Amino acid sequence: MSELPLDALWVYLSGSPLFALTATLACYLQATWLFERTGQWALLNPVLVSVLVLAFGLQLSGVPYANYFEGAQFVHFLLGPATVALAFPLYRELRTLGRHAVPIALAMLVGLVTTFGSTLLIAQATGLDDLMRLSIAPKSVTAPVAMGIAERIGGLPSLTAVFAILTGVFGAVIAMPVLRLIRVHDDAARGLAIGLVSHGIGTARAFRISERAGAYAGLAMALTATLSAITLPYLLSALGI
Amino acid sequence: MNVLTGFVILLALQLCGEILARMLALPVPGPVVGLLLLLVGLAVIPALSTRVEQAAQALLSHLSLLFIPAGVGVVVHLGRLEGAVFGVVVTLGSSTLLGLTATALSLQYLMRGRTTRNSPDQRP
């Protein structure tokens, strides 16, 4: 007798956007708490932990991703206004950024050529097929923009979103250990590098270093998104991919 | 009220960005156009910054949260990724490392000798 109401309850919950939305927010809060509690231990990156827990939960319960997304889309939607909001920290650092326009432009150029060049070369060397290569090419671009680029160059947008998130999380996790190792101590250089390779997730990480690192990361992310959206389709067709 | 005003401004600019991107067939997505519009707006009307400040900071302080729904989408692609795990991991990992190192070292080298300051507002 007691199984029937529970079953009915589960059918309701797993189909309701409320459950997915609550689970996403609660997971993120717990993961953030854990991250702060462990002194920001890199491997416990809140995005990584939340994604793993939620993905595992979906696999275990058999709830389809589409059902989950019906609730989670309210969070996903905020990526748009948040991208616009990045203008705010940029504006506050505008004077400093303007003074260093030439070094920033040059470092961005070096970084973008290195990132895209190595992605395409290594993807080819490790035997990824065309669809995979086209889907992984825009991985350092912020997810909503990367999906748009993937669509234009013939990749799979949803796969690109996954690669972009993985890259963002990986960049955010390794950034500080690597930057310490190569002795980069200036928050401007740290922020720009993190934002260029790991977009919004990296920018979120950079804001935890300092406001200045966050502003440079936001700038790098915005420039990477804009420049990649404009040049990547032409670059790929020039390379015959 | 202030948060709501700021949020409406952000949404309106995103909307303008989407409309511009579509009408002019720009290769850049709408929210990025919105970002540029807000940047120009702030430079032209500095008073705008107090209106968007609270909403912008609320969104940006939880930027990580916003990537979770798309990230969970990995479950849809588990089958496709199975045969390509090695290639994906190597490509993704090494190019991120290379890009990070190249950018950071270049900017640090190019800014050497310039007066730089690390702001004291380290977040807890």
Side-chain angles (χ1 to χ4, degrees):
Chain A
M1 276 305 278
S2 70
E3 242 176 60
L4 209 61
L6 265 183
D7 267 6
L9 186 65
W10 174 242
V11 167
Y12 162 72
L13 280 181
S14 61
S16 153
L18 181 64
F19 187 54
L21 184 60
T22 313
T24 306
L25 291 170
C27 241
Y28 169 73
L29 274 184
Q30 280 302 311
T32 308
W33 177 82
L34 194 68
F35 183 63
E36 297 297 343
R37 201 61 204 270
T38 54
Q40 306 194 354
W41 191 39
L43 267 181
L44 286 178
N45 179 286
V47 181
L48 178 65
V49 172
S50 310
V51 166
L52 287 179
V53 169
L54 289 165
F56 190 67
L58 289 190
Q59 289 292 85
L60 212 64
S61 62
V63 173
Y65 177 66
N67 282 19
Y68 163 79
F69 196 76
E70 228 161 89
Q73 64 176 324
F74 302 109
V75 171
H76 182 77
F77 172 79
L78 293 176
L79 272 176
T83 306
V84 179
L86 280 170
F88 187 73
L90 272 184
Y91 166 72
R92 291 227 296 217
E93 291 282 336
L94 210 53
R95 207 169 292 164
T96 327
L97 295 171
R99 256 205 318 270
H100 303 307
V102 176
I104 290 172
L106 287 174
M108 286 290 306
L109 187 70
V110 173
L112 285 172
V113 170
T114 311
T115 305
F116 288 123
S118 63
T119 304
L120 292 172
L121 285 175
I122 300 168
Q124 189 156 27
T126 52
L128 294 182
D129 61 29
D130 276 0
L131 188 68
M132 276 287 174
R133 262 158 49 204
L134 289 172
S135 305
I136 209 169
K139 68 171 175 40
S140 282
V141 181
T142 184
V145 180
M147 290 169 83
I149 297 176
E151 204 168 11
R152 279 174 48 107
I153 60 179
L156 268 181
S158 55
L159 193 58
T160 299
V162 172
F163 289 149
I165 306 270
L166 286 174
T167 306
V169 170
F170 180 69
V173 168
I174 62 153
M176 284 314 284
V178 170
L179 291 170
R180 275 194 206 104
L181 191 73
I182 58 171
R183 296 187 186 171
V184 172
H185 299 299
D186 181 17
D187 280 356
R190 286 172 163 178
L192 197 81
I194 299 175
L196 189 146
V197 291
S198 50
H199 53 89
I201 301 174
T203 302
R205 175 72 188 91
F207 270 117
R208 288 182 190 276
I209 301 170
S210 70
E211 188 93 5
R212 181 160 182 252
Y216 274 85
L219 173 75
M221 168 185 154
L223 284 176
T224 303
T226 316
L227 293 174
S228 311
I230 297 169
T231 59
L232 208 54
Y234 303 109
L235 187 74
L236 286 170
S237 64
L239 290 171
I241 299 175
Chain B
M1 269 323 272
N2 221 334
V3 180
L4 199 57
T5 313
F7 196 63
V8 171
I9 294 174
L10 293 175
L11 283 178
L13 286 171
Q14 186 191 349
L15 188 64
C16 292
E18 302 280 7
I19 293 171
L20 273 176
R22 259 156 236 274
M23 276 180 44
L24 305 175
L26 300 176
V28 191
V32 178
V33 180
L35 187 164
L36 298 173
L37 288 176
L38 180 56
L39 197 57
V40 172
L42 286 167
V44 176
I45 321 162
L48 196 62
S49 86
T50 53
R51 311 232 169 212
V52 292
E53 179 169 9
Q54 283 185 26
Q57 280 181 342
L59 279 172
L60 292 179
S61 61
H62 294 292
L63 195 58
S64 308
L65 165 70
L66 313 186
F67 292 96
I68 294 172
V72 178
V74 74
V75 294
V76 179
H77 293 293
L78 285 179
R80 194 186 294 278
L81 286 170
E82 225 158 82
V85 168
F86 174 76
V88 167
V89 168
V90 173
T91 307
L92 214 143
S94 44
S95 74
T96 304
L97 260 175
L98 288 170
L100 183 79
T101 311
T103 315
L105 288 178
S106 329
L107 191 64
Q108 180 152 288
Y109 175 76
L110 291 164
M111 301 242 286
R112 76 199 179 286
R114 291 184 185 231
T115 46
T116 53
R117 39 150 193 106
N118 277 352
S119 46
D121 56 340
Q122 300 273 336
R123 298 213 167 166

PDB file of all heavy atoms in Angstrom, chain A residues 59-84:
ATOM      1  N   GLN A  59      21.699   9.609 -14.125  1.00  0.00           N
ATOM      2  CA  GLN A  59      21.994   8.254 -14.590  1.00  0.00           C
ATOM      3  C   GLN A  59      21.347   7.214 -13.676  1.00  0.00           C
ATOM      4  O   GLN A  59      20.755   6.241 -14.125  1.00  0.00           O
ATOM      5  CB  GLN A  59      23.512   8.006 -14.630  1.00  0.00           C
ATOM      6  CG  GLN A  59      24.242   8.730 -15.716  1.00  0.00           C
ATOM      7  CD  GLN A  59      23.882   8.214 -17.102  1.00  0.00           C
ATOM      8  OE1 GLN A  59      22.910   8.645 -17.690  1.00  0.00           O
ATOM      9  NE2 GLN A  59      24.661   7.275 -17.615  1.00  0.00           N
ATOM     10  N   LEU A  60      21.485   7.473 -12.374  1.00  0.00           N
ATOM     11  CA  LEU A  60      21.018   6.531 -11.366  1.00  0.00           C
ATOM     12  C   LEU A  60      19.491   6.431 -11.359  1.00  0.00           C
ATOM     13  O   LEU A  60      18.922   5.337 -11.265  1.00  0.00           O
ATOM     14  CB  LEU A  60      21.515   6.999  -9.991  1.00  0.00           C
ATOM     15  CG  LEU A  60      21.819   5.919  -8.975  1.00  0.00           C
ATOM     16  CD1 LEU A  60      22.982   5.068  -9.472  1.00  0.00           C
ATOM     17  CD2 LEU A  60      22.194   6.559  -7.636  1.00  0.00           C
ATOM     18  N   SER A  61      18.819   7.584 -11.472  1.00  0.00           N
ATOM     19  CA  SER A  61      17.365   7.596 -11.356  1.00  0.00           C
ATOM     20  C   SER A  61      16.680   7.362 -12.688  1.00  0.00           C
ATOM     21  O   SER A  61      15.475   7.120 -12.739  1.00  0.00           O
ATOM     22  CB  SER A  61      16.903   8.930 -10.771  1.00  0.00           C
ATOM     23  OG  SER A  61      17.264   9.968 -11.645  1.00  0.00           O
ATOM     24  N   GLY A  62      17.438   7.472 -13.797  1.00  0.00           N
ATOM     25  CA  GLY A  62      16.855   7.264 -15.105  1.00  0.00           C
ATOM     26  C   GLY A  62      15.999   8.420 -15.603  1.00  0.00           C
ATOM     27  O   GLY A  62      15.258   8.281 -16.568  1.00  0.00           O
ATOM     28  N   VAL A  63      16.110   9.568 -14.935  1.00  0.00           N
ATOM     29  CA  VAL A  63      15.388  10.754 -15.410  1.00  0.00           C
ATOM     30  C   VAL A  63      16.108  11.285 -16.656  1.00  0.00           C
ATOM     31  O   VAL A  63      17.315  11.497 -16.627  1.00  0.00           O
ATOM     32  CB  VAL A  63      15.366  11.867 -14.322  1.00  0.00           C
ATOM     33  CG1 VAL A  63      14.767  13.152 -14.869  1.00  0.00           C
ATOM     34  CG2 VAL A  63      14.593  11.393 -13.104  1.00  0.00           C
ATOM     35  N   PRO A  64      15.376  11.475 -17.783  1.00  0.00           N
ATOM     36  CA  PRO A  64      16.043  11.970 -18.986  1.00  0.00           C
ATOM     37  C   PRO A  64      16.550  13.410 -18.814  1.00  0.00           C
ATOM     38  O   PRO A  64      15.935  14.179 -18.071  1.00  0.00           O
ATOM     39  CB  PRO A  64      14.947  11.925 -20.069  1.00  0.00           C
ATOM     40  CG  PRO A  64      13.805  11.189 -19.475  1.00  0.00           C
ATOM     41  CD  PRO A  64      13.945  11.238 -17.989  1.00  0.00           C
ATOM     42  N   TYR A  65      17.642  13.727 -19.515  1.00  0.00           N
ATOM     43  CA  TYR A  65      18.228  15.068 -19.419  1.00  0.00           C
ATOM     44  C   TYR A  65      17.205  16.140 -19.798  1.00  0.00           C
ATOM     45  O   TYR A  65      17.158  17.199 -19.185  1.00  0.00           O
ATOM     46  CB  TYR A  65      19.456  15.167 -20.322  1.00  0.00           C
ATOM     47  CG  TYR A  65      20.087  16.536 -20.338  1.00  0.00           C
ATOM     48  CD1 TYR A  65      20.686  17.051 -19.185  1.00  0.00           C
ATOM     49  CD2 TYR A  65      20.074  17.327 -21.482  1.00  0.00           C
ATOM     50  CE1 TYR A  65      21.253  18.305 -19.180  1.00  0.00           C
ATOM     51  CE2 TYR A  65      20.640  18.588 -21.486  1.00  0.00           C
ATOM     52  CZ  TYR A  65      21.232  19.072 -20.335  1.00  0.00           C
ATOM     53  OH  TYR A  65      21.792  20.320 -20.335  1.00  0.00           O
ATOM     54  N   ALA A  66      16.375  15.853 -20.806  1.00  0.00           N
ATOM     55  CA  ALA A  66      15.378  16.836 -21.264  1.00  0.00           C
ATOM     56  C   ALA A  66      14.437  17.227 -20.122  1.00  0.00           C
ATOM     57  O   ALA A  66      14.075  18.397 -19.974  1.00  0.00           O
ATOM     58  CB  ALA A  66      14.591  16.291 -22.441  1.00  0.00           C
ATOM     59  N   ASN A  67      14.048  16.233 -19.289  1.00  0.00           N
ATOM     60  CA  ASN A  67      13.182  16.521 -18.143  1.00  0.00           C
ATOM     61  C   ASN A  67      13.901  17.405 -17.137  1.00  0.00           C
ATOM     62  O   ASN A  67      13.340  18.347 -16.597  1.00  0.00           O
ATOM     63  CB  ASN A  67      12.773  15.228 -17.422  1.00  0.00           C
ATOM     64  CG  ASN A  67      11.683  14.500 -18.168  1.00  0.00           C
ATOM     65  OD1 ASN A  67      11.479  14.749 -19.359  1.00  0.00           O
ATOM     66  ND2 ASN A  67      11.009  13.595 -17.485  1.00  0.00           N
ATOM     67  N   TYR A  68      15.172  17.056 -16.882  1.00  0.00           N
ATOM     68  CA  TYR A  68      15.971  17.848 -15.953  1.00  0.00           C
ATOM     69  C   TYR A  68      16.091  19.285 -16.454  1.00  0.00           C
ATOM     70  O   TYR A  68      15.921  20.244 -15.702  1.00  0.00           O
ATOM     71  CB  TYR A  68      17.367  17.225 -15.791  1.00  0.00           C
ATOM     72  CG  TYR A  68      18.368  18.165 -15.183  1.00  0.00           C
ATOM     73  CD1 TYR A  68      18.387  18.402 -13.816  1.00  0.00           C
ATOM     74  CD2 TYR A  68      19.281  18.859 -15.982  1.00  0.00           C
ATOM     75  CE1 TYR A  68      19.285  19.294 -13.258  1.00  0.00           C
ATOM     76  CE2 TYR A  68      20.179  19.740 -15.438  1.00  0.00           C
ATOM     77  CZ  TYR A  68      20.179  19.966 -14.080  1.00  0.00           C
ATOM     78  OH  TYR A  68      21.063  20.855 -13.535  1.00  0.00           O
ATOM     79  N   PHE A  69      16.355  19.424 -17.766  1.00  0.00           N
ATOM     80  CA  PHE A  69      16.611  20.753 -18.319  1.00  0.00           C
ATOM     81  C   PHE A  69      15.381  21.653 -18.250  1.00  0.00           C
ATOM     82  O   PHE A  69      15.499  22.875 -18.190  1.00  0.00           O
ATOM     83  CB  PHE A  69      17.112  20.656 -19.761  1.00  0.00           C
ATOM     84  CG  PHE A  69      17.740  21.937 -20.240  1.00  0.00           C
ATOM     85  CD1 PHE A  69      19.008  22.298 -19.820  1.00  0.00           C
ATOM     86  CD2 PHE A  69      17.043  22.791 -21.080  1.00  0.00           C
ATOM     87  CE1 PHE A  69      19.574  23.490 -20.234  1.00  0.00           C
ATOM     88  CE2 PHE A  69      17.605  23.994 -21.502  1.00  0.00           C
ATOM     89  CZ  PHE A  69      18.880  24.331 -21.075  1.00  0.00           C
ATOM     90  N   GLU A  70      14.200  21.037 -18.232  1.00  0.00           N
ATOM     91  CA  GLU A  70      12.976  21.831 -18.131  1.00  0.00           C
ATOM     92  C   GLU A  70      12.985  22.706 -16.880  1.00  0.00           C
ATOM     93  O   GLU A  70      12.475  23.823 -16.896  1.00  0.00           O
ATOM     94  CB  GLU A  70      11.767  20.904 -18.102  1.00  0.00           C
ATOM     95  CG  GLU A  70      10.691  21.323 -19.064  1.00  0.00           C
ATOM     96  CD  GLU A  70       9.760  20.185 -19.349  1.00  0.00           C
ATOM     97  OE1 GLU A  70       8.784  20.044 -18.594  1.00  0.00           O
ATOM     98  OE2 GLU A  70      10.029  19.421 -20.298  1.00  0.00           O
ATOM     99  N   GLY A  71      13.555  22.189 -15.802  1.00  0.00           N
ATOM    100  CA  GLY A  71      13.668  22.991 -14.590  1.00  0.00           C
ATOM    101  C   GLY A  71      14.919  23.828 -14.592  1.00  0.00           C
ATOM    102  O   GLY A  71      14.923  24.997 -14.206  1.00  0.00           O
ATOM    103  N   ALA A  72      16.028  23.221 -15.051  1.00  0.00           N
ATOM    104  CA  ALA A  72      17.322  23.895 -14.981  1.00  0.00           C
ATOM    105  C   ALA A  72      17.438  25.045 -15.978  1.00  0.00           C
ATOM    106  O   ALA A  72      18.317  25.883 -15.858  1.00  0.00           O
ATOM    107  CB  ALA A  72      18.444  22.887 -15.214  1.00  0.00           C
ATOM    108  N   GLN A  73      16.539  25.078 -16.968  1.00  0.00           N
ATOM    109  CA  GLN A  73      16.642  26.131 -17.984  1.00  0.00           C
ATOM    110  C   GLN A  73      16.497  27.534 -17.404  1.00  0.00           C
ATOM    111  O   GLN A  73      17.009  28.491 -17.973  1.00  0.00           O
ATOM    112  CB  GLN A  73      15.576  25.918 -19.064  1.00  0.00           C
ATOM    113  CG  GLN A  73      14.165  26.052 -18.542  1.00  0.00           C
ATOM    114  CD  GLN A  73      13.125  25.940 -19.643  1.00  0.00           C
ATOM    115  OE1 GLN A  73      13.335  26.397 -20.741  1.00  0.00           O
ATOM    116  NE2 GLN A  73      12.023  25.291 -19.339  1.00  0.00           N
ATOM    117  N   PHE A  74      15.825  27.642 -16.236  1.00  0.00           N
ATOM    118  CA  PHE A  74      15.671  28.967 -15.639  1.00  0.00           C
ATOM    119  C   PHE A  74      17.022  29.507 -15.190  1.00  0.00           C
ATOM    120  O   PHE A  74      17.267  30.707 -15.207  1.00  0.00           O
ATOM    121  CB  PHE A  74      14.681  28.908 -14.468  1.00  0.00           C
ATOM    122  CG  PHE A  74      13.335  28.400 -14.880  1.00  0.00           C
ATOM    123  CD1 PHE A  74      12.886  27.151 -14.486  1.00  0.00           C
ATOM    124  CD2 PHE A  74      12.537  29.168 -15.716  1.00  0.00           C
ATOM    125  CE1 PHE A  74      11.644  26.687 -14.890  1.00  0.00           C
ATOM    126  CE2 PHE A  74      11.302  28.707 -16.129  1.00  0.00           C
ATOM    127  CZ  PHE A  74      10.854  27.458 -15.720  1.00  0.00           C
ATOM    128  N   VAL A  75      17.902  28.592 -14.761  1.00  0.00           N
ATOM    129  CA  VAL A  75      19.258  28.987 -14.403  1.00  0.00           C
ATOM    130  C   VAL A  75      20.062  29.242 -15.680  1.00  0.00           C
ATOM    131  O   VAL A  75      20.753  30.253 -15.806  1.00  0.00           O
ATOM    132  CB  VAL A  75      19.937  27.879 -13.561  1.00  0.00           C
ATOM    133  CG1 VAL A  75      21.406  28.167 -13.377  1.00  0.00           C
ATOM    134  CG2 VAL A  75      19.250  27.737 -12.207  1.00  0.00           C
ATOM    135  N   HIS A  76      19.927  28.336 -16.644  1.00  0.00           N
ATOM    136  CA  HIS A  76      20.658  28.419 -17.911  1.00  0.00           C
ATOM    137  C   HIS A  76      20.379  29.737 -18.629  1.00  0.00           C
ATOM    138  O   HIS A  76      21.277  30.357 -19.201  1.00  0.00           O
ATOM    139  CB  HIS A  76      20.256  27.231 -18.793  1.00  0.00           C
ATOM    140  CG  HIS A  76      20.972  27.166 -20.096  1.00  0.00           C
ATOM    141  ND1 HIS A  76      22.275  26.722 -20.199  1.00  0.00           N
ATOM    142  CD2 HIS A  76      20.588  27.508 -21.353  1.00  0.00           C
ATOM    143  CE1 HIS A  76      22.645  26.783 -21.465  1.00  0.00           C
ATOM    144  NE2 HIS A  76      21.652  27.255 -22.186  1.00  0.00           N
ATOM    145  N   PHE A  77      19.118  30.174 -18.543  1.00  0.00           N
ATOM    146  CA  PHE A  77      18.686  31.397 -19.213  1.00  0.00           C
ATOM    147  C   PHE A  77      19.493  32.613 -18.755  1.00  0.00           C
ATOM    148  O   PHE A  77      19.782  33.520 -19.534  1.00  0.00           O
ATOM    149  CB  PHE A  77      17.197  31.635 -18.954  1.00  0.00           C
ATOM    150  CG  PHE A  77      16.711  32.968 -19.451  1.00  0.00           C
ATOM    151  CD1 PHE A  77      16.434  33.154 -20.796  1.00  0.00           C
ATOM    152  CD2 PHE A  77      16.580  34.046 -18.583  1.00  0.00           C
ATOM    153  CE1 PHE A  77      16.019  34.388 -21.263  1.00  0.00           C
ATOM    154  CE2 PHE A  77      16.167  35.286 -19.043  1.00  0.00           C
ATOM    155  CZ  PHE A  77      15.884  35.451 -20.389  1.00  0.00           C
ATOM    156  N   LEU A  78      19.884  32.611 -17.471  1.00  0.00           N
ATOM    157  CA  LEU A  78      20.571  33.775 -16.906  1.00  0.00           C
ATOM    158  C   LEU A  78      21.974  33.983 -17.483  1.00  0.00           C
ATOM    159  O   LEU A  78      22.591  35.022 -17.256  1.00  0.00           O
ATOM    160  CB  LEU A  78      20.644  33.651 -15.378  1.00  0.00           C
ATOM    161  CG  LEU A  78      19.296  33.725 -14.654  1.00  0.00           C
ATOM    162  CD1 LEU A  78      19.476  33.494 -13.172  1.00  0.00           C
ATOM    163  CD2 LEU A  78      18.633  35.079 -14.896  1.00  0.00           C
ATOM    164  N   LEU A  79      22.485  32.994 -18.246  1.00  0.00           N
ATOM    165  CA  LEU A  79      23.788  33.162 -18.896  1.00  0.00           C
ATOM    166  C   LEU A  79      23.790  34.386 -19.814  1.00  0.00           C
ATOM    167  O   LEU A  79      24.800  35.073 -19.923  1.00  0.00           O
ATOM    168  CB  LEU A  79      24.129  31.919 -19.728  1.00  0.00           C
ATOM    169  CG  LEU A  79      24.838  30.778 -19.022  1.00  0.00           C
ATOM    170  CD1 LEU A  79      24.999  29.606 -19.972  1.00  0.00           C
ATOM    171  CD2 LEU A  79      26.206  31.215 -18.510  1.00  0.00           C
ATOM    172  N   GLY A  80      22.662  34.648 -20.474  1.00  0.00           N
ATOM    173  CA  GLY A  80      22.556  35.790 -21.389  1.00  0.00           C
ATOM    174  C   GLY A  80      22.787  37.119 -20.678  1.00  0.00           C
ATOM    175  O   GLY A  80      23.771  37.807 -20.958  1.00  0.00           O
ATOM    176  N   PRO A  81      21.893  37.482 -19.711  1.00  0.00           N
ATOM    177  CA  PRO A  81      22.113  38.731 -18.979  1.00  0.00           C
ATOM    178  C   PRO A  81      23.456  38.764 -18.238  1.00  0.00           C
ATOM    179  O   PRO A  81      24.052  39.841 -18.107  1.00  0.00           O
ATOM    180  CB  PRO A  81      20.943  38.799 -17.994  1.00  0.00           C
ATOM    181  CG  PRO A  81      20.197  37.528 -18.125  1.00  0.00           C
ATOM    182  CD  PRO A  81      20.596  36.876 -19.394  1.00  0.00           C
ATOM    183  N   ALA A  82      23.959  37.600 -17.790  1.00  0.00           N
ATOM    184  CA  ALA A  82      25.249  37.591 -17.094  1.00  0.00           C
ATOM    185  C   ALA A  82      26.376  37.968 -18.050  1.00  0.00           C
ATOM    186  O   ALA A  82      27.326  38.649 -17.668  1.00  0.00           O
ATOM    187  CB  ALA A  82      25.521  36.232 -16.467  1.00  0.00           C
ATOM    188  N   THR A  83      26.272  37.524 -19.314  1.00  0.00           N
ATOM    189  CA  THR A  83      27.270  37.900 -20.318  1.00  0.00           C
ATOM    190  C   THR A  83      27.258  39.414 -20.520  1.00  0.00           C
ATOM    191  O   THR A  83      28.313  40.053 -20.567  1.00  0.00           O
ATOM    192  CB  THR A  83      26.988  37.186 -21.658  1.00  0.00           C
ATOM    193  OG1 THR A  83      26.904  35.783 -21.414  1.00  0.00           O
ATOM    194  CG2 THR A  83      28.064  37.457 -22.674  1.00  0.00           C
ATOM    195  N   VAL A  84      26.053  39.991 -20.622  1.00  0.00           N
ATOM    196  CA  VAL A  84      25.938  41.452 -20.760  1.00  0.00           C
ATOM    197  C   VAL A  84      26.548  42.132 -19.534  1.00  0.00           C
ATOM    198  O   VAL A  84      27.279  43.122 -19.651  1.00  0.00           O
ATOM    199  CB  VAL A  84      24.464  41.875 -20.928  1.00  0.00           C
ATOM    200  CG1 VAL A  84      24.346  43.385 -21.043  1.00  0.00           C
ATOM    201  CG2 VAL A  84      23.843  41.209 -22.144  1.00  0.00           C
TER     202      VAL A  84
END
